[in-house]
């Protein structure tokens, strides 16, 4: 059964009435139980040496709290936290659920005022954890109330972009601070749900179905279409070279023939190139992508490079001949010579750094270490150059 | 039989049950049998009449069956589907309680097949309401089929003749059809493992083996295991009954491109016989290294190829076309040291415009890596140096 259909069948969804980002009852409970996130508390003079982060709060929390009896939430900052629905939990009452306008307000607040601030600070990871949790609660409210697809789309698009950005921005952080697997699973959850919602909206445009959400003007559908292509392109890039994703996309592209310049075509071509092992094309086309797509693609660079080096070890294998490191760096998008050396040596490929000749790499069959673990992805200067607090806000919100 | 009264029908049922006649039992529970059309059986609830039979646990199954017949006549596909799933689950329980016995398998095949067909109908009906493609019923049907599968697979005690394990392959085939329909190929893996590890593996009826290998072959194809995909599909094609022309055609749709990747080109008359001439342009393009022709052909029949799910596979054919093109350049230049420029020039002649030396090298590098060209690239001299012996080994000789 498709989503909209489900809504018809199971018709009676509970409707929330909470107009705030956080229900009153939850705010009171969390004030009482001292469960406020530092980003939600009323601003007070921060004591020297006390960074605003959840960890420092939990370790020194008690002393801190005793000194400040005034433990209050800032009503403009507190956001409903995620809590797992489980046996023993009561069905939430309407006053605990936020209808679409409040949810939209919440998402905008989280992205604009929390996620796109202080991105350079090391404590951004705390903001990430905060936003991730609160967005999850938004999705929960969204599902419980069975919101119409068009509204779900508006909520999900910024979430997808946020997780793409975070996946890129935090890559290479130690695992106890940030786990790429978990971010990846949130991202897949959001984008898959989003694509289902796009399908549901299409179903509504189908003649003969009941007109729902009549106020969607043509302008809006046009806008929605562009974002839809972008999101499909993102899905392709996230699953770069994945045959299943490519197969699904090839079907969609059949009906997109007139939109040749569309990002989805470009994304499809890049993913296809990756599937064929054409590392040169993958890397050269990557640079033409928009920042958001680039961020998703950057996470695949280690696997693209690994494959490239593996192929080249065989294809350029010769006892005498060498391959210039500079060219390798250029083709596979390394940022400096040392990264080239490091990664080549990691896979067991000899590097010639002697000063009187041009630095080069020596490919020889059998030297590639198949057991060497793939290198972690890292950030790229030419993407980072585009990113500041304000541009991130723009990328995430528009 | 199309005018069965309820009493006649129930007599048939008890007859089949008491005489342990598997064909008859399968017939009286089938939705594709004549009795399903009888207007006298189309009653919303036949519980009381059935209770007279005192054939527990079969009575529950029969009640559900009658309800399905009624719902199909209304027609209420959702209800029919719901009752058929209940029927299958009850049947699975009944099957489990019949220890050391497998005469119910035939009837099980019937009710399971009916369930899958009903699920497709229910989904189709849902989709026609205009909410896009719906697959929910089919997804749920897989769960019921799995219930039966578990009963069969877990029957370890019984002897070889009596074991319910004989039901495994038919159920696996049904499940394959569902999983391919809902695009969840990863779920096929445990099923394949279950059959592979079974001692009965090669002793199932040929018809089931053909279906089984058709799907396992397609799965292998998606996993890029072309060699084993070729083997499975070849078996399916060769053993498929010669009158099942439609099935043979379906097998060929996948077998032809896979064989081409492995280096075997189909004959034109074969393609003609099975109405698959869409492939002929591809064959000629690949054979002569005419990448342009291949691209045109792919574009021209794009819809057909995409709908069959082989568009990506054809992208692999391009690699072979490149190999053949490069081989031509090699033969023309009559040298073992082929300038990269010459290869690039050949690619540009094929209307591939946005390509440079770096990408040409990359394509050649992949070909060498895959063993399709023997030799190495000298970056310094911008040359492809090919082996003196057998520089372009026949594709069929590769791993």
């Amino acid at each position: 059964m498709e989503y909209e259909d489900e809504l018809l069948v199971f018709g009676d969804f509970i409707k929330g009435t909470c107009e705030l980002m956080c229900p009153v009852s939850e705010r009171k409970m969390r004030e009482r139980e001292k469960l406020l996130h530092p980003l939600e508390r009323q601003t007070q003079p921060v004591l020297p040496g006390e960074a605003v982060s959840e960890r420092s709060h939990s370790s020194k929390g008690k002393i801190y709290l005793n000194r400040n009896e005034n433990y209050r939430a800032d009503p403009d900052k507190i956001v409903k936290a995620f809590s797992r629905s489980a046996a023993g939990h009561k069905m939430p009452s309407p006053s605990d659920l936020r209808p679409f306008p409040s949810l939209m307000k919440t998402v905008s607040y989280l992205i604009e005022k929390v996620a796109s601030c202080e991105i350079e600070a090391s404590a951004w990871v705390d903001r990430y954890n905060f936003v991730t949790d609160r967005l999850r609660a938004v999705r929960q409210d969204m599902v419980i109330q069975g919101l119409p697809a068009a509204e779900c789309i508006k909520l999900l698009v910024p979430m997808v972009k946020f997780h793409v950005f975070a996946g890129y921005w935090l890559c290479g952080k130690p695992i106890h601070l940030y786990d790429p697997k978990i971010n990846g699973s949130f991202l897949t959850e959001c984008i898959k749900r989003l694509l289902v919602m796009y399908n549901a909206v299409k179903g509504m445009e189908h003649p003969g179905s009941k007109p729902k959400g009549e106020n969607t003007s043509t302008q809006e559908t046009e806008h929605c279409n562009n974002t839809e292509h972008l999101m499909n392109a993102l899905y392709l890039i996230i699953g770069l070279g994945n045959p299943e994703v490519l197969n699904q996309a090839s079907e969609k592209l059949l009906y997109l023939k007139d939109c040749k310049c569309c990002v989805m075509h470009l994304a499809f071509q890049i993913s296809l190139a990756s599937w064929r092992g054409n590392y040169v094309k993958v890397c050269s086309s990557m640079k033409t992508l928009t920042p958001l797509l680039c961020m998703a693609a950057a996470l695949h660079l280690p696997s693209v490079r690994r494959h490239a080096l593996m192929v080249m070890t065989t294809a350029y294998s010769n006892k005498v001949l060498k391959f210039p490191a500079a060219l390798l760096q250029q083709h596979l998008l390394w940022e400096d010579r040392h990264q080239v050396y490091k990664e080549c040596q990691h896979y067991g490929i000899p590097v010639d750094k002697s000063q009187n000749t041009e630095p080069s790499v020596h490919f020889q069959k059998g030297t590639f270490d198949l057991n060497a673990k793939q290198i972690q992805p890292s950030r790229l200067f030419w993407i980072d150059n585009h990113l500041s607090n304000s541009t991130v806000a723009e990328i995430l919100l528009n | 039989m199309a005018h069965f009264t309820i009493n006649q029908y129930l007599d048939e049922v008890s007859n089949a049950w008491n005489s342990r006649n598997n064909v008859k039992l399968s017939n009286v529970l089938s939705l594709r049998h004549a009795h399903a059309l009888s207007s006298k059986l189309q009653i919303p609830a036949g519980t009381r009449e059935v209770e007279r039979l005192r054939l527990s646990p079969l009575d529950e199954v029969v009640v559900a069956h009658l309800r399905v017949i009624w719902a199909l006549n209304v027609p209420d596909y959702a209800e029919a589907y719901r009752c058929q799933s209940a029927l299958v689950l009850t049947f699975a329980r009944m099957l489990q309680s019949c220890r050391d016995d497998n005469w119910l398998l035939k009837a099980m095949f019937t009710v399971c097949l009916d369930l899958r067909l009903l699920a497709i109908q229910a989904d189709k009906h849902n989709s026609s309401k205009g909410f896009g493609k719906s697959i929910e019923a089919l997804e749920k049907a897989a769960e019921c089929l799995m219930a039966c599968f578990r009963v069969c697979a877990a029957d370890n005690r019984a002897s070889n003749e009596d074991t319910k394990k004989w039901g495994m392959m038919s159920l696996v085939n049904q499940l394959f059809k569902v999983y391919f329909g809902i695009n969840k190929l990863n779920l096929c893996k445990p099923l394949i493992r279950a059959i592979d590890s079974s001692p009965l593996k090669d002793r199932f009826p040929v018809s089931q083996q053909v279906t089984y290998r058709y799907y396992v072959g397609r799965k292998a194809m998606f996993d890029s295991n072309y060699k084993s995909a070729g083997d499975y599909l070849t078996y399916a094609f060769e053993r498929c009954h010669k009158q099942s022309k439609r099935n043979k055609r379906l097998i060929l749709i996948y077998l032809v491109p896979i064989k081409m990747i492995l280096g075997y080109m189909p004959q034109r008359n074969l393609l003609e016989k099975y109405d698959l001439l869409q492939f002929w342009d591809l064959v000629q393009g690949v054979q002569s290294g005419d990448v342009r022709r291949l691209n045109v052909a792919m574009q021209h029949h794009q819809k057909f190829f995409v709908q069959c799910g082989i568009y990506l596979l054809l992208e692999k054919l391009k690699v072979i076309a490149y190999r053949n093109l490069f081989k031509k350049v090699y033969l023309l230049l009559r040298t073992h040291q082929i300038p990269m420029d010459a290869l690039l020039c050949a690619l540009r002649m094929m209307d591939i415009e946005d390509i440079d030396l770096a990408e040409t090298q990359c394509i050649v590098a992949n070909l060498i890596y895959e063993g399709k060209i023997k030799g190495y690239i000298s970056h310094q001299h911008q040359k492809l140096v090919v082996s003196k012996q057998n520089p372009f080994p026949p594709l069929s000789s590769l791993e």
Side-chain angles (χ1 to χ4, degrees):
Chain A
M1 218 179 304
E2 283 292 314
Y3 181 72
E4 289 290 328
D5 211 8
E6 233 167 78
L7 293 190
L8 286 184
V9 176
F10 302 107
D12 297 333
F13 276 96
I14 184 169
K15 286 225 166 10
T17 57
C18 171
E19 287 177 10
L20 303 166
M21 294 196 293
C22 179
V24 177
S25 60
E26 180 177 323
R27 190 182 82 210
K28 287 190 175 147
M29 183 278 285
R30 288 211 275 138
E31 279 179 343
R32 192 176 61 235
E33 304 291 337
K34 312 252 186 287
L35 288 171
L36 294 175
H37 191 279
L39 290 163
E40 297 173 320
R41 268 182 259 159
Q42 273 183 3
T43 33
Q44 38 204 325
V46 179
L47 299 171
E50 199 121 32
V52 186
S53 81
E54 199 155 26
R55 274 184 324 289
S56 69
H57 154 67
S58 57
S59 56
K60 305 178 195 167
K62 274 195 180 151
I63 315 158
Y64 180 69
L65 294 176
N66 287 345
R67 263 185 278 147
N68 295 277
E69 285 169 21
N70 196 16
Y71 188 86
R72 298 283 293 277
D74 185 331
D76 292 330
K77 289 184 180 170
I78 183 166
V79 182
K80 183 175 176 181
F82 175 76
S83 98
R84 209 172 280 281
S85 58
H89 263 239
K90 273 192 219 127
M91 178 71 191
S93 73
S95 64
D96 292 334
L97 290 170
R98 296 160 291 177
F100 174 70
S102 317
L103 288 175
M104 201 61 227
K105 192 172 74 184
T106 309
V107 172
S108 313
Y109 166 77
L110 287 171
I111 301 289
E112 201 171 352
K113 296 278 160 41
V114 185
S116 28
C117 294
E118 297 179 18
I119 59 165
E120 301 289 352
S122 64
W124 192 81
V125 85
D126 297 310
R127 289 175 180 266
Y128 163 76
N129 286 325
F130 175 75
V131 173
T132 302
D133 175 85
R134 299 318 191 244
L135 287 180
R136 201 173 175 196
V138 169
R139 290 200 291 281
Q140 196 179 30
D141 277 15
M142 179 181 101
V143 170
I144 294 177
Q145 299 176 82
L147 294 184
E151 294 181 356
C152 294
I153 290 173
K154 284 188 185 141
L155 295 171
L156 285 167
V157 168
M159 294 189 197
V160 167
K161 291 179 175 176
F162 168 73
H163 283 295
V164 169
F165 168 69
Y168 169 74
W169 196 245
L170 295 174
C171 73
K173 287 259 179 216
I175 189 86
H176 64 273
L177 286 178
Y178 161 76
D179 183 345
K181 267 265 159 56
I182 294 178
N183 187 62
S185 67
F186 282 135
L187 175 55
T188 346
E189 180 201 320
C190 290
I191 199 161
K192 280 199 169 158
R193 192 182 282 275
L194 178 62
L195 297 183
V196 169
M197 294 302 164
Y198 279 127
N199 265 344
V201 172
K202 286 228 186 66
M204 292 188 327
E205 286 162 6
H206 199 272
S209 65
K210 281 170 210 154
K212 261 193 162 189
E214 288 132 6
N215 48 1
T216 39
S217 64
T218 40
Q219 242 184 352
E220 256 181 6
T221 41
E222 222 167 67
H223 168 73
C224 142
N225 272 338
N226 287 336
T227 325
E228 184 183 346
H229 293 179
L230 175 65
M231 289 297 137
N232 272 304
L234 254 183
Y235 190 57
L236 273 162
I237 297 288
I238 292 167
L240 195 77
N242 178 327
E244 246 171 272
V245 176
L246 277 166
N247 254 331
Q248 280 171 23
S250 68
E251 259 174 77
K252 272 188 198 152
L253 284 172
L254 267 189
Y255 304 100
L256 259 180
K257 270 192 179 160
D258 31 318
C259 187
K260 276 280 179 215
C261 57
C262 159
V263 275
M264 211 179 140
H265 274 283
L266 181 58
F268 185 78
Q269 290 306 327
I270 296 181
S271 184
L272 197 62
S274 166
W275 187 70
R276 284 206 303 246
N278 191 333
Y279 44 88
V280 171
K281 186 161 186 180
V282 174
C283 292
S284 64
S285 337
M286 227 178 101
K287 285 209 149 182
T288 63
L289 290 170
T290 58
L292 191 72
L293 289 165
C294 255
M295 289 188 241
L299 299 186
H300 291 286
L301 267 181
S303 81
V304 172
R305 285 176 186 146
R306 181 179 183 275
H307 173 80
L309 291 176
M310 203 160 74
V311 168
M312 292 175 95
T313 320
T314 309
Y316 291 83
S317 172
N318 187 284
K319 283 187 189 129
V320 193
L321 297 172
K322 301 199 165 118
F323 196 92
L327 206 61
L328 206 54
Q329 178 186 338
Q330 186 200 329
H331 285 169
L332 297 177
L333 305 179
W334 274 296
E335 315 237 73
D336 62 60
R337 206 58 51 80
H338 293 287
Q339 289 179 336
V340 183
Y341 300 151
K342 205 179 120 205
E343 203 150 332
C344 285
Q345 280 165 346
H346 175 79
Y347 292 118
I349 300 166
V351 173
D352 183 3
K353 285 186 265 192
S354 57
Q355 300 201 321
N356 27 10
T357 55
E358 193 190 8
S360 57
V361 175
H362 194 171
F363 290 118
Q364 202 165 358
K365 234 183 234 175
T367 50
F368 189 90
D369 180 5
L370 287 167
N371 297 321
K373 252 185 152 179
Q374 191 172 297
I375 282 189
Q376 290 294 314
S378 59
R379 277 167 31 187
L380 301 164
F381 293 131
W382 52 274
I383 301 181
D384 287 5
N385 277 342
H386 290 287
L387 302 177
S388 64
N389 286 334
S390 56
T391 50
V392 166
E394 203 173 303
I395 291 171
L396 296 184
L397 289 169
N398 297 321
Chain B
M1 286 213 248
H3 302 289
F4 261 23
T5 63
I6 181 83
N7 284 333
Q8 275 171 316
Y9 169 71
L10 290 177
D11 283 344
E12 282 286 311
V13 174
S14 70
N15 222 329
W17 178 256
N18 291 328
S19 64
R20 291 170 54 94
N21 184 328
N22 59 0
V23 177
K24 264 195 187 160
L25 184 69
S26 148
N27 280 341
V28 293
L29 293 178
S30 167
L31 293 170
R32 288 157 292 134
H33 186 252
H35 77 264
L37 296 172
S38 164
S39 55
K40 287 170 188 145
L41 291 184
Q42 284 153 6
I43 41 180
T47 325
R48 199 180 306 151
E49 289 88 342
V50 177
E51 267 172 10
R52 182 179 64 84
L53 280 177
R54 299 189 181 285
L55 289 179
S56 174
L58 187 69
D59 47 3
E60 239 181 286
V61 173
V62 176
V63 170
H65 179 64
L66 287 172
R67 175 91 181 158
V68 175
I69 293 180
W70 168 79
L72 278 178
N73 191 48
V74 170
D76 181 346
Y77 292 106
E79 173 69 9
Y81 164 72
R82 203 184 58 74
C83 293
Q84 186 74 16
S85 347
L87 187 156
V88 171
L89 289 176
T90 317
F91 201 98
R93 252 178 283 132
M94 182 168 88
L95 189 68
Q96 190 167 29
S97 59
C98 282
R99 291 197 190 282
D100 291 328
D101 201 353
N102 63 8
W103 78 280
L104 289 173
L105 284 181
K106 183 145 182 84
M108 180 194 75
F109 295 163
T110 304
V111 294
C112 286
L113 176 57
D114 280 341
L115 175 68
R116 188 174 62 82
L117 297 177
L118 265 181
I120 293 174
Q121 284 240 328
D123 279 335
K124 213 168 166 187
H125 198 70
N126 247 324
S127 308
S128 69
K129 278 195 251 159
F131 294 117
K133 202 176 161 212
S134 172
I135 52 164
E136 161 123 355
L138 204 52
E139 265 177 336
K140 288 266 158 65
E143 287 168 28
C144 295
L145 296 175
M146 269 316 277
C148 288
F149 179 76
R150 264 181 236 116
V151 172
C152 291
D155 190 19
N156 292 318
R157 300 272 191 80
S159 65
N160 249 354
E161 299 94 76
D162 294 331
T163 179
K164 297 185 194 58
K165 288 195 175 220
W166 287 111
M168 282 165 70
M169 191 173 266
S170 160
L171 285 170
V172 165
N173 287 341
Q174 292 290 332
L175 282 163
F176 279 163
K177 287 179 196 188
V178 173
Y179 292 151
F180 273 79
I182 60 177
N183 218 347
K184 294 239 164 86
L185 300 192
N186 52 329
L187 298 176
C188 296
K189 227 188 195 166
L191 300 176
I192 297 173
R193 211 178 304 138
I195 295 288
D196 262 348
S197 61
S198 164
L200 306 176
K201 192 169 120 186
D202 297 317
R203 294 173 54 199
F204 288 101
V206 175
S207 60
Q208 291 182 13
Q209 300 231 32
V210 167
T211 313
Y212 176 76
R213 283 173 210 227
Y214 168 70
Y215 283 107
V216 177
R218 281 184 63 187
K219 167 85 172 97
M221 176 195 104
F222 279 114
D223 297 337
S224 310
N225 293 328
Y226 302 122
K227 191 93 197 337
S228 70
D231 293 345
Y232 283 118
L233 290 168
T234 305
Y235 178 100
F237 185 71
E238 282 169 0
R239 305 294 292 271
C240 181
H241 198 283
K242 68 174 175 202
Q243 279 179 344
S244 313
K245 211 167 165 187
R246 189 178 156 270
N247 283 348
K248 288 202 137 190
R249 180 173 187 268
L250 284 176
I251 300 170
L252 274 183
I253 287 178
Y254 302 98
L255 186 55
V256 166
I258 285 172
K259 278 291 184 187
M260 281 167 78
I261 288 178
L262 296 173
Y264 301 90
M265 300 295 149
Q267 303 271 319
R268 190 186 159 100
N269 56 14
L270 176 84
L271 296 177
E272 223 159 3
K273 181 173 168 193
Y274 289 99
D275 184 24
L276 286 171
L277 278 177
Q278 291 96 327
F279 284 103
W280 184 240
D281 279 341
L282 300 183
V283 173
Q284 291 194 309
V286 170
Q287 248 171 348
S288 56
D290 191 341
V291 183
R292 181 177 31 202
R293 185 166 182 179
L294 179 63
N295 276 334
V296 171
M298 275 176 69
Q299 208 59 41
H300 188 68
H301 300 292
Q302 192 186 14
K303 200 167 174 201
F304 170 76
F305 294 138
V306 166
Q307 279 163 350
C308 297
I310 54 171
Y311 191 74
L312 271 192
L313 203 60
L314 303 185
E315 283 286 336
K316 282 263 166 187
L317 281 183
K318 256 188 214 171
V319 177
I320 298 178
Y322 287 144
R323 170 214 180 257
N324 292 347
L325 176 66
F326 294 160
K327 186 176 173 186
K328 275 198 165 167
V329 175
Y330 159 75
L331 292 173
L332 272 173
L333 296 180
R334 290 194 210 155
T335 166
H336 290 283
Q337 302 192 351
I338 311 162
M340 276 294 159
D341 278 329
L343 300 180
L344 175 60
C345 179
L347 287 173
R348 289 223 171 112
M349 264 176 65
M350 292 296 151
D351 291 346
I352 306 168
E353 278 144 15
D354 55 339
I355 195 159
D356 55 12
L357 270 175
E359 210 185 316
T360 312
Q361 281 197 28
C362 175
I363 291 174
V364 175
N366 272 297
L367 281 167
I368 296 175
Y369 176 70
E370 290 164 19
K372 294 190 173 91
I373 296 178
K374 279 211 228 160
Y376 65 89
I377 303 169
S378 156
H379 178 76
Q380 262 108 326
H381 306 102
Q382 285 295 321
K383 276 186 180 150
L384 163 63
V385 182
V386 293
S387 152
K388 294 238 160 72
Q389 278 175 350
N390 206 7
F392 293 86
L395 294 172
S396 49
S397 69
L398 300 176
E399 278 283 291

